[in-house]
Amino acid sequence: MQYLVYVCLFLGLVAAHPHHHSHKRSTPVAQKSFSLPDKFTPFKSGKPHFTIPGSVIADRFKVSSCVDEGELRDYSHNLVIHRDSPTMCNIGSRTLWFFDDTFVYNNGEFFGAAANSVAIANSLSEPAQISDISVSVSDGVTVAIPWTSSEAAIQYDVSERYALWAHAPCIPLGNNKAVHFWGLCKFNGSLEATALGYSSVTYEYEEDTGSLTIVRDEVVSNSGSNYVYGGFASLVVNTVIYLYALDSGYSGKYDIHLAKVQRMQYYDQSKWEYYDAATKSWSAEKPVPTGRRQSAAVISGPMPFSTGNIFYSQYHNAYLLVFFTEWADNTFYALTAQSPTGPWSDSVITLQKTTPGANGYNYGGQASPIFFEGAEESNQVGKELLLTYTYQDSTTSWYNKVEKLVFE
């Protein structure tokens, strides 16, 4: 979809700071299941500690090559699929790709559309090849994230429909389970939408049956003033989940705030703790901001953030934040730190300038170090990154591109 409709999520949902008082999991409102094919792509990551001895290996950020792997697509059929904003989710021995607005054509004719879709990665060695799950020639096009009955009733009304979009990777909870934040928007015209809030969506994979169950919780409205922890990025270190929230409303997308929780206690918000960078301390009291809290932010960037990924790179002996500065952008940048709480570097590393489409920009940039086999055993995780973004080659055609970046 074109850039204008995504203003809903980044300038509406996040800026409004959804507020949530519940200490327990929200009420499920919809559920559906998919059968997954046997496509094994086990999660690959480094083994970081909270504090890493030594320092960032700064001379390893020079890029040796960046190979265009082509379109992220299913090559087993001839459907032409235009879709937005790929985000990755590792669950069990599978790597899933979730997408936002998805429009499908068959032999030049419109075939179907959905507000989101899901596919599975085929292999670690061919990162652009996927198998579609919610799109098929025989069964048509369906959403990955289930609607409520009232939302489903108008899902094909272009001017009035709802949209569920995600722009950050999911959060792995272990035991073949993950959680993902999806923003809910309501269209008021073909290119105008209002942010209504967000849903926390749980994925659970059953290895024995190959079934993926997707359970969507009730919408948390935009009426409050809290950060969306985990809505920007997340990081799992041993048994602890670090959840990063972007402050778009008060900081202009420059500040990122941090919470943490034991992975097995994720759904109990009474167990969450919130970081104050000014005092370098954690508190059980959830902040309710009424203005910018720059000194408390774990990251206060030298430039703004839009989409980003945080992960540990063995190759650089550092945690990396790889990001776009604007939703419509062409360049991947990086910051570094020795722990999830920082301090994060002030100097920005320019990683890769992508070639823009016909409109002069790409959008929805994401980065991951997980796809490349053998890296973990040789302490090379992070030497090769998978870069993805939406490339719009014309006003009526757009698709997800994949690039493989290799450091020297």
Side-chain angles (χ1 to χ4, degrees):
M1 199 61 174
Q2 296 185 34
Y3 163 66
L4 286 176
V5 300
Y6 284 89
V7 172
C8 165
L9 187 62
F10 281 91
L11 300 186
L13 171 60
V14 180
H17 303 308
H19 185 54
H20 193 6
H21 290 288
S22 172
H23 285 167
K24 298 297 182 181
R25 180 174 177 177
S26 299
T27 303
V29 295
Q31 177 175 319
K32 69 187 308 181
S33 296
F34 294 97
S35 294
L36 301 186
D38 290 333
K39 305 288 184 180
F40 297 99
T41 50
F43 181 75
K44 299 288 181 180
S45 68
K47 293 183 172 62
H49 302 285
F50 184 74
T51 301
I52 310 173
S55 59
V56 177
I57 307 177
D59 60 357
R60 288 186 171 179
F61 283 97
K62 186 175 181 180
V63 176
S64 172
S65 64
C66 195
V67 178
D68 186 349
E69 298 282 350
E71 180 182 356
L72 184 63
R73 60 160 296 181
D74 187 334
Y75 289 86
S76 69
H77 58 66
N78 293 320
L79 296 175
V80 175
I81 305 179
H82 306 310
R83 49 190 163 196
D84 283 320
S85 310
T87 57
M88 185 185 295
C89 184
N90 302 102
I91 179 169
S93 58
R94 307 291 195 272
T95 299
L96 301 176
W97 286 100
F98 288 90
F99 307 91
D100 294 349
D101 274 348
T102 300
F103 295 84
V104 185
Y105 295 83
N106 191 4
N107 295 320
E109 299 292 330
F110 179 72
F111 184 70
N116 48 69
S117 58
V118 60
I120 188 169
N122 284 357
S123 73
L124 295 172
S125 59
E126 297 176 316
Q129 296 190 20
I130 58 177
S131 293
D132 284 309
I133 304 301
S134 60
V135 176
S136 74
V137 176
S138 58
D139 297 328
V141 183
T142 183
V143 289
I145 310 304
W147 296 120
T148 63
S149 57
S150 60
E151 294 164 352
I154 57 172
Q155 65 176 309
Y156 300 116
D157 184 336
V158 175
S159 64
E160 298 295 332
R161 70 182 176 100
Y162 290 90
L164 275 165
W165 294 328
H167 294 140
C170 76
I171 303 165
L173 300 181
N175 297 324
N176 291 344
K177 183 181 289 188
V179 68
H180 208 175
F181 290 101
W182 288 80
L184 180 68
C185 299
K186 176 71 166 62
F187 276 77
N188 307 306
S190 61
L191 288 178
E192 297 179 1
T194 299
L196 301 180
Y198 72 92
S199 277
S200 177
V201 177
T202 298
Y203 310 134
E204 191 158 7
Y205 177 65
E206 176 56 56
E207 291 275 3
D208 293 339
T209 63
S211 176
L212 174 71
T213 300
I214 299 177
V215 180
R216 176 186 159 198
D217 289 351
E218 64 185 345
V219 173
V220 179
S221 73
N222 276 355
S223 60
S225 57
N226 270 13
Y227 305 125
V228 187
Y229 292 103
F232 175 72
S234 61
L235 174 72
V236 179
V237 181
N238 299 321
T239 62
V240 179
I241 303 173
Y242 295 89
L243 303 118
Y244 296 84
L246 179 64
D247 176 8
S248 297
Y250 295 121
S251 77
K253 302 190 297 183
Y254 280 83
D255 295 350
I256 297 173
H257 293 269
L258 177 62
K260 72 174 181 178
V261 65
Q262 288 289 325
R263 186 161 60 181
M264 299 307 293
Q265 297 175 325
Y266 171 84
Y267 290 109
D268 185 352
Q269 288 200 347
S270 69
K271 303 297 185 182
W272 289 37
E273 296 181 89
Y274 306 91
Y275 188 66
D276 187 328
T279 60
K280 295 182 172 55
S281 63
W282 295 92
S283 170
E285 184 176 352
K286 187 175 185 179
V288 182
T290 57
R292 186 177 182 183
R293 302 173 58 249
Q294 184 176 7
S295 64
V298 68
I299 304 172
S300 189
M303 56 177 57
F305 306 98
S306 62
T307 53
N309 304 84
I310 295 177
F311 50 85
Y312 174 63
S313 169
Q314 290 177 315
Y315 188 68
H316 300 96
N317 193 40
Y319 294 91
L320 305 186
L321 164 57
V322 179
F323 63 97
F324 269 13
T325 62
E326 300 291 343
W327 175 243
D329 200 352
N330 299 317
T331 305
F332 285 92
Y333 300 95
L335 299 178
T336 65
Q338 287 286 282
S339 87
T341 58
W344 288 83
S345 58
D346 293 324
S347 59
V348 177
I349 301 166
T350 300
L351 293 183
Q352 174 67 6
K353 294 183 178 180
T354 63
T355 301
N359 287 351
Y361 57 80
N362 300 314
Y363 57 93
Q366 301 279 328
S368 172
I370 73 152
F371 261 80
F372 308 108
E373 293 182 278
E376 186 174 25
E377 292 75 13
S378 58
N379 291 323
Q380 299 290 290
V381 170
K383 182 176 182 178
E384 299 175 318
L385 301 184
L386 187 74
L387 307 179
T388 59
Y389 52 89
T390 300
Y391 176 85
Q392 191 164 344
D393 60 355
S394 72
T395 57
T396 59
S397 176
W398 61 98
Y399 57 90
N400 306 129
K401 287 196 71 172
V402 178
E403 295 186 14
K404 179 180 176 180
L405 182 147
V406 182
F407 293 105
E408 289 187 350

